[in-house]
Amino acid sequence: MLSLSPLQEDNHSYYVSRTYGPGAARRQGLWVDMAAADSSHVKVHGILSNTHRQASRIVLSFDFPFYGHLLRQVTIATGGFIFMGDVIHRMLTATQYIAPLMANFNPSYSRNSTVQYLDNGTVFVVQWDKVYLQGKEDVGSFTFQAALHSSGRIVFGYKEIPVPVLQISAAQHPVKAGLSDAFMVLNPSPEVPESRRRTIYEYHRVELDTSKITNMSAVEFTPLPTCLQHQSCEVCVSSTLTFN
């Protein structure tokens, strides 16, 4: 019997996540049908759709609140995630991401594989469409998406997940699903007095239970109030926040 209610609800301090199975009525309204959307809002990314281990910076048409701070640029990666940091570095997969399914996807394997995105002014959606795992192409193609709403809500939608995520090898590329944010500190470098060394501090991470990621499932993240949305210390201190 299929569940008609959320399978799971978790409070992660900054976000509440709700996981919906295939039978949940709410799930159907969360998937964004790219084919039915206004074609002027949808773009197939030519470079990402034909490369492996590549990332590309995209400018949004609206400010997206991520962990309470506003972002206007994000970086889409072929590996099933969106990098949310300002500085591109070789450890993109480590922190500051929105990852519906981070894995070693290679869109260049098939002409049918695309990385496409939609921006209609109120939601930005990235869809990894019919992408294959590098070296494991025989298991089939994956289709999934991440939707970033201007309200700060984040939705992961899963259409085709041909193999349990727990069976995907992390030997060549991290495999994870969830959110991460960090802040960067510039420290003087002792070796070169004029230069500064960047240190990234991850302060929060949401790790989803990947066993819940199946065909026709979805995860919805609703942001909780943070102090960043307040304009003064007085308003912040007197507000009702959900974390200490």
Side-chain angles (χ1 to χ4, degrees):
M1 181 177 173
L2 294 174
S3 170
L4 294 177
S5 59
L7 293 177
Q8 188 177 343
E9 178 172 315
D10 290 309
N11 185 315
H12 308 282
S13 295
Y14 292 87
Y15 290 89
V16 170
S17 69
R18 295 179 181 87
T19 305
Y20 299 93
R26 170 76 176 150
R27 178 203 62 79
Q28 298 172 13
L30 295 176
W31 178 263
V32 178
D33 187 349
M34 303 283 268
D38 186 333
S39 59
S40 66
H41 295 152
V42 180
K43 294 181 180 175
V44 173
H45 199 289
I47 295 175
L48 296 180
S49 298
N50 293 285
T51 50
H52 177 222
R53 286 181 176 266
Q54 185 66 265
S56 180
R57 180 62 59 95
I58 303 292
V59 178
L60 306 181
S61 68
F62 57 90
D63 290 324
F64 173 69
F66 184 57
Y67 278 90
H69 56 90
L70 299 177
L71 298 176
R72 187 50 83 100
Q73 296 186 43
V74 300
T75 302
I76 303 173
T78 54
F81 68 100
I82 305 169
F83 176 67
M84 308 302 288
D86 290 330
V87 179
I88 302 295
H89 53 82
R90 63 186 182 87
M91 295 293 288
L92 281 195
T93 60
T95 61
Q96 295 173 281
Y97 56 75
I98 291 177
L101 182 53
M102 185 187 293
N104 194 14
F105 293 110
N106 179 12
S108 69
Y109 171 76
S110 168
R111 295 185 65 177
N112 293 326
S113 301
T114 60
V115 178
Q116 48 188 283
Y117 62 96
L118 171 154
D119 186 340
N120 67 8
T122 59
V123 64
F124 176 78
V125 184
V126 181
Q127 183 163 307
W128 291 264
D129 196 77
K130 297 183 176 63
V131 293
Y132 292 82
L133 289 167
Q134 171 74 5
K136 286 288 184 181
E137 294 83 4
D138 57 321
V139 303
S141 67
F142 293 71
T143 297
F144 56 94
Q145 63 181 215
L148 284 54
H149 294 263
S150 58
S151 63
R153 201 163 54 90
I154 301 167
V155 177
F156 295 166
Y158 304 97
K159 189 175 183 181
E160 293 178 305
I161 306 294
V163 64
V165 176
L166 294 171
Q167 293 181 16
I168 300 175
S169 169
Q172 302 297 323
H173 192 289
V175 177
K176 48 192 171 182
L179 312 174
S180 164
D181 199 27
F183 59 88
M184 185 176 295
V185 176
L186 296 176
N187 297 312
S189 176
E191 301 82 18
V192 187
E194 300 82 28
S195 71
R196 289 175 176 265
R197 186 173 55 212
R198 296 190 185 102
T199 306
I200 297 175
Y201 294 93
E202 182 182 47
Y203 67 89
H204 194 259
R205 175 180 293 199
V206 176
E207 293 184 343
L208 293 179
D209 178 357
T210 54
S211 69
K212 299 284 195 298
I213 296 175
T214 61
N215 288 339
M216 312 309 285
S217 64
V219 181
E220 182 178 27
F221 298 92
T222 305
L224 294 166
T226 74
C227 52
L228 291 176
Q229 71 200 53
H230 300 299
Q231 301 301 312
S232 70
C233 292
E234 292 74 21
V235 175
C236 179
V237 170
S238 63
S239 69
T240 304
L241 293 175
T242 52
F243 63 95
N244 188 355

